[in-house]
Amino acid sequence: MGRDEFVFLLIGLKWTVALSVVAFICGCIAGLIVALARTSGITLLERITAGYIAVFQGTPLLMQLFVVYYGLALIGIRMDAWAAVSVGLTLHASAYLGEIWRGSIEAVPKGQTEAAKALALRYFSRMKDVVLPQAIRISLPATIGFLVQLIKGTSLASIVGFTELTRAGNIISNQIFQPITVFGIVGILYFLMCCPLTIYGAHLERKFAASTR
Amino acid sequence: MTQAAIQADASDAMITMTGVGKWYGAFQALHNVDITVAQGEKIVLCGPSGSGKSTLIRCINHLEAYQEGEIRVGGMLLGHQSKTIDAVRREVGMVFQQFNLFPHLTVLQNCMLAPVKALGLGKADAEERARQLLERVKISEQAEKYPAQLSGGQQQRVAIARALCMRPKVMLFDEPTSALDPEMVKEVLDTMIALAEEGMTMICVTHEMGFARQVADRVIFMASGAIVEEAPPAEFFSNPQHERTRKFLGEILGRH
Ligand SMILES: Nc1ncnc2c1ncn2[C@@H]1O[C@H](COP(=O)(O)OP(=O)(O)OP(=O)(O)O)[C@@H](O)[C@H]1O
Ligand SMILES: [Mg+2]
């Protein structure tokens, strides 16, 4: 495998990173909204978001990407592959992060909200200044765990024709007929992205366990 | 009650509860509660577990919604719209059994948060106010520490200072010493006594009968969600009128 092929893989890697970052950031924003709606105490909102989460947790990510990519085209919304997989992964991430954060918001003791209410703090400040800082800390290990899943999940974007790392590997492998070498390198690149995150997540989990002894 | 009587109440009473009823689903936790607390008055609320003491004081700052009757605080009718609820909460401080300090904020930040966010005070003013009140509860050296680094008694005194930073007209205490080790009870009671001497209007749920004798203007005894009896402490302890009160006092004084 020559230099050009390796550069081609690195370009794929760049798109994998870009897709992960976009899906994670947009997924965080949408996921926060989902988590807040899910814990709002407003029955209708809670039901709708519970359904939203159930749909995305109960179906394969690949199918979700297909629905966004082909389904939206069918109803006349044209998107290129990059936009479609970004939207698909963002929706997917928002449901998972929304559920992770719902759990952590509920894990913050009720007395915290009560004390904040008794101090005349409004909903916005109760969440921003009291509940979320504690909930985010609780959720960090699970959030990082999900980010790792998301990075690996971007490989499914290859199936709708988006050239990220996995598809770049596929293309090179078909050109030079060295699948073991090519996919070995692809695997190492994924591993180098995910493993430090996993270690960091485990570290945070230990730190958190120690501080709540 | 006539319109004139309501107006009169509103002018000299800090808190009036009139015919207050409260349900948790089908379970009625408060029955027709009438209480009037004058400005500067200290009330001790006692009664057996499950009698509705917490429910009652939590209705006063609308941590629990009530379904029947009316509650006025400082003349304001406590309705169910967030505007009136916030207005009442700015006037009413609360101290909880479990302290409920914000663990991710320092002692000083705990005290500054609400004055800045709910009263719109500037940071510098809020800090000055917080340091003054931490001084007053004798804990100013701990201002930069986190709650977990303090003892239970210190945490509860910070919780009192945090509530006082809102300059409330009324303070509610829900068993403020029940979660404390015995050797820390006194420092918290002393803080409350000092506050009482400065003229704060207070309602305290507590089984510290020594505190009731020393500080209370009136002791109110509740059972099964209703007020059974109320009297000045001397009378309440020496000559209780109702069988349930006698039984309760027998148990609680026997235990101490
Ligand atoms: N959130 C709730 N949902 C349903 N029932 C409740 C709730 N909170 C309290 N109750 C019930 O209301 C009654 C009064 O409870 P409350 O906590 O006010 O009693 P208390 O006098 O403060 O008791 P304690 O001395 O144990 O603190 C109890 O029977 C209790 O089971
Ligand atoms: Mg109680």
Side-chain angles (χ1 to χ4, degrees), chain A residues 110-122 125-126 128-131 133-134, chain B residues 58 61 63 86 89-90 92 94 96 100-104 113-114 117-118 162-163 166:
Chain A
K110 257 183 85 184
Q112 294 290 307
T113 300
E114 290 182 350
K117 282 183 177 172
L119 288 165
L121 295 173
R122 298 265 184 110
S125 174
R126 287 203 302 270
K128 176 177 143 299
D129 299 316
V130 176
V131 176
Q134 300 181 57
Chain B
R58 289 159 61 89
N61 64 355
L63 284 186
D86 283 334
R89 285 177 181 167
R90 283 194 289 270
V92 178
M94 186 173 231
F96 300 85
N100 296 346
L101 293 178
F102 305 133
H104 59 297
L113 180 64
K117 301 286 173 166
R162 178 177 73 175
M166 295 290 284

Coordinates of all heavy atoms in Angstrom, one line a residue, chain A residues 110-122 125-126 128-131 133-134, chain B residues 58 61 63 86 89-90 92 94 96 100-104 113-114 117-118 162-163 166:
Chain A
K110 N -34.0 15.1 44.9 CA -35.1 16.0 44.8 C -35.0 17.2 45.7 O -35.4 18.3 45.3 CB -36.4 15.3 45.2 CG -37.3 14.9 44.0 CD -38.6 14.3 44.5 CE -39.6 15.3 44.8 NZ -40.9 14.7 45.4
G111 N -34.2 17.1 46.8 CA -34.0 18.2 47.7 C -33.3 19.3 47.0 O -33.5 20.5 47.4
Q112 N -32.5 19.1 46.0 CA -31.8 20.1 45.3 C -32.8 21.1 44.6 O -32.7 22.3 44.7 CB -30.8 19.5 44.3 CG -29.7 18.8 44.9 CD -28.7 19.7 45.6 OE1 -28.2 20.6 45.0 NE2 -28.5 19.4 46.9
T113 N -33.7 20.5 43.9 CA -34.8 21.3 43.2 C -35.6 22.0 44.2 O -36.0 23.2 44.0 CB -35.6 20.3 42.4 OG1 -34.8 19.7 41.4 CG2 -36.7 21.1 41.6
E114 N -35.9 21.3 45.3 CA -36.8 22.0 46.3 C -36.1 23.2 47.0 O -36.7 24.2 47.2 CB -37.1 21.0 47.4 CG -38.1 19.9 46.9 CD -38.5 18.9 48.0 OE1 -37.9 18.9 49.1 OE2 -39.5 18.2 47.7
A115 N -34.8 23.0 47.3 CA -34.0 24.1 47.9 C -34.0 25.3 46.9 O -34.1 26.4 47.2 CB -32.6 23.7 48.2
A116 N -33.8 24.9 45.6 CA -33.7 26.0 44.6 C -35.1 26.7 44.4 O -35.1 27.9 44.3 CB -33.3 25.4 43.2
K117 N -36.1 25.9 44.5 CA -37.5 26.5 44.4 C -37.7 27.4 45.7 O -38.2 28.5 45.5 CB -38.6 25.5 44.4 CG -38.8 24.8 43.1 CD -39.9 23.8 43.2 CE -40.2 23.2 41.9 NZ -41.2 22.1 42.0
A118 N -37.3 26.9 46.8 CA -37.5 27.7 48.1 C -36.8 29.0 48.0 O -37.1 30.0 48.7 CB -37.1 26.9 49.3
L119 N -35.7 29.0 47.2 CA -34.9 30.3 47.1 C -35.4 31.1 45.9 O -34.7 32.1 45.5 CB -33.4 29.9 46.8 CG -32.7 29.4 48.1 CD1 -31.4 28.7 47.7 CD2 -32.4 30.5 49.1
A120 N -36.6 30.8 45.4 CA -37.3 31.6 44.4 C -36.6 31.6 43.1 O -36.7 32.5 42.3 CB -37.5 33.1 44.9
L121 N -35.7 30.6 42.8 CA -35.1 30.4 41.5 C -36.1 29.9 40.5 O -36.9 28.9 40.9 CB -33.9 29.5 41.6 CG -32.7 30.0 42.5 CD1 -31.7 28.9 42.6 CD2 -32.1 31.3 41.8
R122 N -36.2 30.5 39.3 CA -37.1 30.0 38.3 C -36.5 28.8 37.6 O -35.3 28.5 37.7 CB -37.2 31.1 37.2 CG -37.8 32.4 37.8 CD -39.2 32.4 37.5 NE -39.9 33.6 37.9 CZ -40.4 34.4 37.1 NH1 -40.3 34.3 35.8 NH2 -41.1 35.5 37.5
S125 N -33.0 29.0 35.8 CA -31.9 29.0 36.7 C -31.8 27.7 37.5 O -30.7 27.2 37.8 CB -32.0 30.2 37.7 OG -31.0 30.2 38.6
R126 N -32.9 27.1 37.9 CA -32.9 25.9 38.7 C -32.1 24.8 37.9 O -31.3 24.1 38.4 CB -34.3 25.3 39.0 CG -35.0 26.1 40.0 CD -36.1 25.2 40.6 NE -37.1 24.7 39.7 CZ -38.3 25.3 39.4 NH1 -38.5 26.5 39.9 NH2 -39.1 24.8 38.5
K128 N -30.1 25.4 35.0 CA -28.8 25.8 34.5 C -27.8 25.8 35.7 O -26.6 25.4 35.6 CB -28.8 27.2 33.9 CG -27.5 27.7 33.4 CD -27.7 29.0 32.7 CE -26.7 30.1 33.0 NZ -26.5 30.5 34.4
D129 N -28.2 26.3 36.8 CA -27.3 26.6 37.9 C -27.2 25.5 39.0 O -26.2 25.3 39.7 CB -27.6 27.9 38.6 CG -27.5 29.1 37.7 OD1 -26.5 29.2 37.0 OD2 -28.5 29.9 37.7
V130 N -28.3 24.7 39.1 CA -28.4 23.7 40.2 C -28.4 22.3 39.6 O -27.5 21.5 40.0 CB -29.6 24.0 41.1 CG1 -29.7 22.9 42.2 CG2 -29.5 25.4 41.7
V131 N -29.4 21.9 38.8 CA -29.6 20.5 38.5 C -28.6 20.1 37.4 O -27.9 19.0 37.6 CB -31.0 20.3 38.0 CG1 -31.2 18.9 37.5 CG2 -32.0 20.6 39.1
P133 N -25.6 21.1 36.2 CA -24.2 20.9 36.6 C -23.9 19.6 37.3 O -22.9 18.9 37.1 CB -23.8 22.1 37.5 CG -24.8 23.1 37.2 CD -26.1 22.4 36.8
Q134 N -24.9 19.2 38.2 CA -24.8 17.9 38.9 C -25.1 16.7 38.0 O -24.4 15.7 38.0 CB -25.7 17.9 40.1 CG -25.3 19.0 41.1 CD -26.2 19.0 42.3 OE1 -26.3 18.0 43.0 NE2 -26.9 20.1 42.6
Chain B
R58 N -44.7 23.3 53.9 CA -44.3 23.3 52.5 C -45.4 23.9 51.6 O -45.1 24.3 50.5 CB -44.0 21.9 52.0 CG -42.7 21.4 52.6 CD -42.6 19.9 52.5 NE -42.7 19.4 51.2 CZ -41.6 19.2 50.4 NH1 -40.4 19.5 50.8 NH2 -41.8 18.7 49.2
N61 N -44.7 28.0 51.2 CA -43.9 28.5 50.0 C -44.2 27.7 48.8 O -43.5 27.7 47.8 CB -42.4 28.5 50.4 CG -41.9 27.1 50.6 OD1 -42.6 26.1 50.6 ND2 -40.6 27.1 50.8
L63 N -44.1 24.7 47.9 CA -43.4 23.5 47.5 C -44.5 22.4 47.3 O -44.3 21.4 46.5 CB -42.4 23.0 48.5 CG -41.1 23.8 48.5 CD1 -40.1 23.2 49.5 CD2 -40.5 24.0 47.1
D86 N -43.6 33.0 43.0 CA -42.2 33.5 43.1 C -42.2 34.7 44.1 O -41.2 34.8 44.8 CB -41.7 34.0 41.7 CG -41.3 32.8 40.9 OD1 -40.9 31.8 41.4 OD2 -41.3 32.9 39.6
R89 N -42.1 33.3 47.5 CA -40.9 32.6 47.8 C -39.7 33.5 48.0 O -38.8 33.2 48.8 CB -40.5 31.6 46.6 CG -41.3 30.4 46.6 CD -41.0 29.5 45.5 NE -41.8 28.3 45.5 CZ -42.0 27.5 44.5 NH1 -41.3 27.7 43.3 NH2 -42.7 26.4 44.5
R90 N -39.8 34.7 47.4 CA -38.7 35.7 47.7 C -38.8 36.2 49.2 O -37.8 36.7 49.7 CB -38.8 36.9 46.7 CG -38.3 36.5 45.3 CD -38.1 37.8 44.5 NE -39.3 38.4 44.1 CZ -40.0 38.0 43.0 NH1 -39.4 37.1 42.1 NH2 -41.1 38.6 42.6
V92 N -40.0 34.2 51.8 CA -40.0 33.1 52.7 C -38.8 32.2 52.6 O -38.5 31.7 51.5 CB -41.3 32.2 52.5 CG1 -41.3 31.1 53.4 CG2 -42.5 33.1 52.6
M94 N -36.5 28.9 53.7 CA -36.7 27.5 54.2 C -35.4 26.8 54.5 O -34.5 26.9 53.7 CB -37.6 26.7 53.3 CG -38.0 25.4 53.8 SD -39.2 24.6 52.8 CE -40.5 24.2 53.9
F96 N -34.1 22.9 55.5 CA -34.5 21.5 55.4 C -33.8 20.6 56.4 O -32.6 20.9 56.7 CB -34.3 21.0 54.0 CG -35.0 21.8 52.9 CD1 -34.5 22.9 52.4 CD2 -36.2 21.4 52.4 CE1 -35.1 23.6 51.4 CE2 -36.9 22.1 51.4 CZ -36.3 23.2 50.9
N100 N -29.7 20.3 52.1 CA -29.9 20.6 50.7 C -29.0 21.7 50.2 O -29.4 22.5 49.3 CB -31.3 20.9 50.3 CG -32.2 19.7 50.6 OD1 -31.7 18.6 50.7 ND2 -33.5 19.9 50.6
L101 N -27.7 21.8 50.6 CA -26.8 22.7 50.0 C -26.5 22.2 48.6 O -26.6 21.0 48.3 CB -25.5 22.8 50.9 CG -25.7 23.4 52.2 CD1 -24.4 23.5 53.0 CD2 -26.3 24.9 52.1
F102 N -26.0 23.1 47.7 CA -25.7 22.7 46.4 C -24.2 22.2 46.4 O -23.3 23.0 46.6 CB -25.8 23.9 45.4 CG -27.2 24.5 45.5 CD1 -27.4 25.9 45.6 CD2 -28.4 23.7 45.4 CE1 -28.7 26.4 45.6 CE2 -29.6 24.2 45.5 CZ -29.8 25.6 45.6
P103 N -24.0 20.9 46.2 CA -22.7 20.4 46.4 C -21.6 20.8 45.4 O -20.4 20.7 45.8 CB -22.9 18.8 46.3 CG -24.1 18.7 45.4 CD -25.0 19.9 45.7
H104 N -22.0 21.3 44.3 CA -21.0 21.7 43.3 C -20.6 23.2 43.4 O -19.8 23.7 42.7 CB -21.6 21.5 41.9 CG -22.9 22.3 41.6 ND1 -24.0 22.1 42.3 CD2 -23.1 23.3 40.7 CE1 -25.0 22.9 41.9 NE2 -24.4 23.6 40.9
L113 N -26.0 32.6 45.0 CA -26.7 32.2 43.8 C -28.1 32.9 43.7 O -28.4 33.6 42.8 CB -26.9 30.7 43.8 CG -27.6 30.2 42.6 CD1 -26.9 30.5 41.3 CD2 -27.8 28.7 42.7
A114 N -28.9 32.7 44.8 CA -30.3 33.2 44.7 C -30.4 34.7 44.7 O -31.2 35.3 43.9 CB -31.2 32.6 45.8
K117 N -29.6 35.6 41.1 CA -30.5 35.1 40.0 C -31.9 35.4 40.3 O -32.7 35.6 39.4 CB -30.3 33.6 39.9 CG -29.0 33.1 39.6 CD -28.6 33.4 38.2 CE -27.1 33.0 37.9 NZ -26.8 33.0 36.5
A118 N -32.3 35.5 41.6 CA -33.8 35.7 41.8 C -34.1 37.2 42.2 O -35.2 37.6 42.0 CB -34.3 34.8 42.9
R162 N -27.7 30.9 53.9 CA -28.2 31.0 52.5 C -29.6 31.5 52.4 O -29.9 32.4 51.5 CB -28.1 29.6 51.8 CG -28.5 29.6 50.4 CD -28.3 28.2 49.8 NE -29.3 27.2 50.3 CZ -29.4 26.0 49.8 NH1 -28.6 25.5 48.9 NH2 -30.2 25.1 50.3
A163 N -30.5 31.0 53.2 CA -31.9 31.5 53.2 C -32.0 32.9 53.6 O -32.7 33.7 53.0 CB -32.7 30.6 54.1
M166 N -31.6 36.1 51.2 CA -32.7 36.6 50.5 C -33.5 37.7 51.3 O -34.5 38.2 50.8 CB -33.7 35.5 50.1 CG -33.1 34.4 49.2 SD -32.9 35.1 47.5 CE -34.6 35.1 46.9

